[in-house]
Amino acid sequence: EPEVTQTPSHQVTQMGQEVILRCVPISNHLYFYWYRQILGQKVEFLVSFYNNEISEKSEIFDDQFSVERPDGSNFTLKIRSTKLEDSAMYFCASKVQKTGQETQYFGPGTRLLVL
Amino acid sequence: KNQVEQSPQSLIILEGKNCTLQCNYTVSPFSNLRWYKQDTGRGPVSLTIMTFSENTKSNGRYTATLDADTKQSSLHITASQLSDSASYICVVSANTGTASKLTFGTGTRLQVTL
């Protein structure tokens, strides 16, 4: 069964460093998402992406964050200058269609630790 | 403000027993409600999805109910197994036409023991 994959599974970085989290969505999916989950807290929406542009973003997704689909298969989340509070699990998700009835399929996540 | 509240926060049950998890929401305009299972350190996996007109939906040993009038949902797990140990997250979608308007609950952490 097709699945969303994410790399790396874990990333440790120093505060102020740039990180790039990578995702490979399911191949026929058109809508892509990033979420984060701070330890012990609920999953929070960051950004949605369609047709090579951001379709919606949350207040969390400030200028330090950017997303890109550089080659038609990968979907990346970049954090330019990491802060301690960026430490979280980051989930990528994808789905086929825009309608609210379609299920988003989540990747296994990347655990980011900022020191 | 859209909110999803879940109870209990955590639950321990013996293998083979049944349990019911609760979800209350204040999301408007309502589109659908999903229950996800999240194993520790993994991404959420969809169990059920229900729209406004659906009262109940089953997926194997999982049965979800929805009362759109009272804005409540439950997830009933029958004959629990050790592999059911996970967090169960209630996720409600607002009817904006953009799936990004998902509101997540904090989850119920279920532990099934021998």
Side-chain angles (χ1 to χ4, degrees):
Chain A
E1 184 177 336
E3 58 183 18
V4 177
T5 59
Q6 290 185 243
T7 55
S9 59
H10 296 78
Q11 173 109 34
V12 181
T13 190
Q14 295 289 327
M15 188 171 57
Q17 295 297 304
E18 174 183 286
V19 295
I20 297 177
L21 310 183
R22 291 182 169 79
C23 168
V24 178
I26 295 173
S27 62
N28 64 332
H29 287 190
L30 301 176
Y31 295 84
F32 314 113
Y33 307 85
W34 282 103
Y35 295 87
R36 79 173 186 190
Q37 185 177 28
I38 295 171
L39 187 63
Q41 298 185 22
K42 64 178 70 176
V43 176
E44 301 172 290
F45 166 74
L46 292 178
V47 65
S48 60
F49 190 87
Y50 169 70
N51 199 27
N52 282 320
E53 61 182 24
I54 291 173
S55 47
E56 202 153 358
K57 60 183 180 180
S58 71
E59 60 275 10
I60 303 169
F61 194 87
D62 61 22
D63 292 343
Q64 294 298 316
F65 291 89
S66 63
V67 289
E68 194 176 44
R69 190 159 159 79
D71 57 13
S73 62
N74 290 286
F75 179 50
T76 63
L77 174 68
K78 181 191 291 186
I79 309 175
R80 290 189 182 83
S81 178
T82 50
K83 303 187 285 287
L84 296 177
E85 54 265 35
D86 292 327
S87 295
M89 193 77 157
Y90 288 82
F91 293 107
C92 171
S94 70
K95 71 173 197 174
V96 174
Q97 296 179 0
K98 184 180 181 180
T99 66
Q101 308 310 316
E102 289 292 324
T103 297
Q104 292 184 27
Y105 291 84
F106 286 78
T110 292
R111 183 172 295 283
L112 176 65
L113 177 61
V114 182
L115 302 176
Chain B
K1 181 182 178 182
N2 289 338
Q3 286 190 324
V4 176
E5 302 290 339
Q6 291 187 243
S7 63
Q9 190 173 23
S10 62
L11 183 62
I12 301 175
I13 62 173
L14 294 174
E15 186 182 28
K17 297 296 186 182
N18 304 335
C19 66
T20 301
L21 315 180
Q22 302 291 341
C23 172
N24 297 328
Y25 62 92
T26 54
V27 174
S28 182
F30 176 84
S31 175
N32 58 71
L33 184 147
R34 296 174 172 88
W35 282 94
Y36 279 89
K37 178 185 179 186
Q38 184 179 21
D39 293 310
T40 301
R42 307 290 295 178
V45 175
S46 178
L47 294 174
T48 64
I49 177 172
M50 288 183 294
T51 59
F52 184 87
S53 60
E54 295 175 296
N55 301 117
T56 185
K57 182 165 283 189
S58 292
N59 177 4
R61 294 180 296 103
Y62 301 104
T63 299
T65 66
L66 174 65
D67 186 335
D69 292 330
T70 62
K71 295 183 171 55
Q72 295 180 327
S73 176
S74 67
L75 180 69
H76 185 76
I77 304 175
T78 304
S80 61
Q81 299 176 358
L82 296 177
S83 58
D84 292 332
S85 297
S87 286
Y88 292 83
I89 306 173
C90 178
V91 182
V92 183
S93 176
N95 188 20
T96 65
T98 59
S100 61
K101 294 297 183 185
L102 300 180
T103 303
F104 288 75
T106 51
T108 291
R109 181 170 294 278
L110 173 66
Q111 184 176 349
V112 181
T113 65
L114 292 171

